[in-house]
Amino acid sequence: WGADGHETVGFVAMSASFLAPKALSFVRSSLGCTYDESLGPAATWADEVRPEPAYAWSANLHFVDALDNAPTSCSVSQSRDCPDNQCILGAIANYTTRVADTHLSAVQRQEALKFLDHFIGDIAQPLHVENIAAGGNGIDAKCNGSSTNLHSVWDSGMINRLLPSKYNNSVTTWAAALVTRIKSGSYKCEASNWIACSSTTETVSKNHDSHVNHGIIPLECPLVWAKDSNMFGCSVVFNFTSGQDLCTSSYYDEAIPVIEMQIAKAGYRLAAWLNSIFDGAT
Ligand code: DCM
Ligand code: DCM
Ligand code: ZN
Ligand code: ZN
């Protein structure tokens, strides 16, 4: 996602009542004044440092190149797609351990929190869990009359049209609307399924042939979330014709409900994940 998508994920997670006491307390003290004690402003840090040479190692952690056969057949495999753990699946496992590691410095634990804040957002973006043309970066697309690529249309192109048209161009207004849908609106029934996987210790089952690499043991939940997002690669994502403007046509109408749901889902999962880490809640 672009900055708006990531910030909205963070603001959804910050919603009153989602974070349990210890998780909220850690988030506020760890992020501090720099980030207004909030997962909203902190969510974009990982993209800001990504181009820096000192963080070159983090670039591949924003996605998993699932070698499936989308749009015909969709799948994510830990051993096939992330054998060395240097992908978003391994990254979430790594930073889940690190954010809770009291032997690490406050700076390192804040960094782990900012990576989780960001990667739990990215793993909900269908093209961050798909190999084809580098997650759609190599697929030409049109958005609002401009030439761009399919990945960018999903990261930000459609959101750039949604925000001014429905949410006063405000990510906090968007986040508040998504929270209302989770608590009492159209997402209420399904929201409990979004956080059904919440164990921060359950590892990828042995028959998946996962390997401990770089000291990281793959976790079950990031794989579950990646599979959930990857399925959209077999429905809406590639369902367009060449020359179609994806941001002003029926494609937008089909995709935008998915984008809104994936952002809401990521925010709700981020809160539940931090609760599981810090409060032992499920
Ligand atoms: N690092 C990380 N995950 C690990 C180990 C290290 O993200 N499991 C990061 C923290 C530092 C950088 O890599 O930003 C270098 O760490 P170190 O000096 O511990 O090798
Ligand atoms: N990306 C991805 N899958 C890839 C390569 C990149 O999802 N195989 C993502 C990371 C960024 C965006 O695409 O969100 C643009 O990447 P880059 O700046 O590396 O081209
Ligand atoms: Zn992206
Ligand atoms: Zn990213």
Side-chain angles (χ1 to χ4, degrees), residues 12 18 177-185 187-188 191 194 264 268:
V12 167
F18 285 176
L178 297 178
V179 167
T180 300
R181 274 176 233 171
I182 290 169
K183 286 186 177 168
S184 55
Y187 300 151
K188 195 179 177 213
W194 297 349
Y268 199 44

Side-chain angles (χ1 to χ4, degrees), residues 17 27 35 170 177 184 188 212 222 240 247 268:
S17 82
V27 163
Y35 297 103
S170 159
S184 55
K188 195 179 177 213
V212 180
F240 58 92
C247 299
Y268 199 44

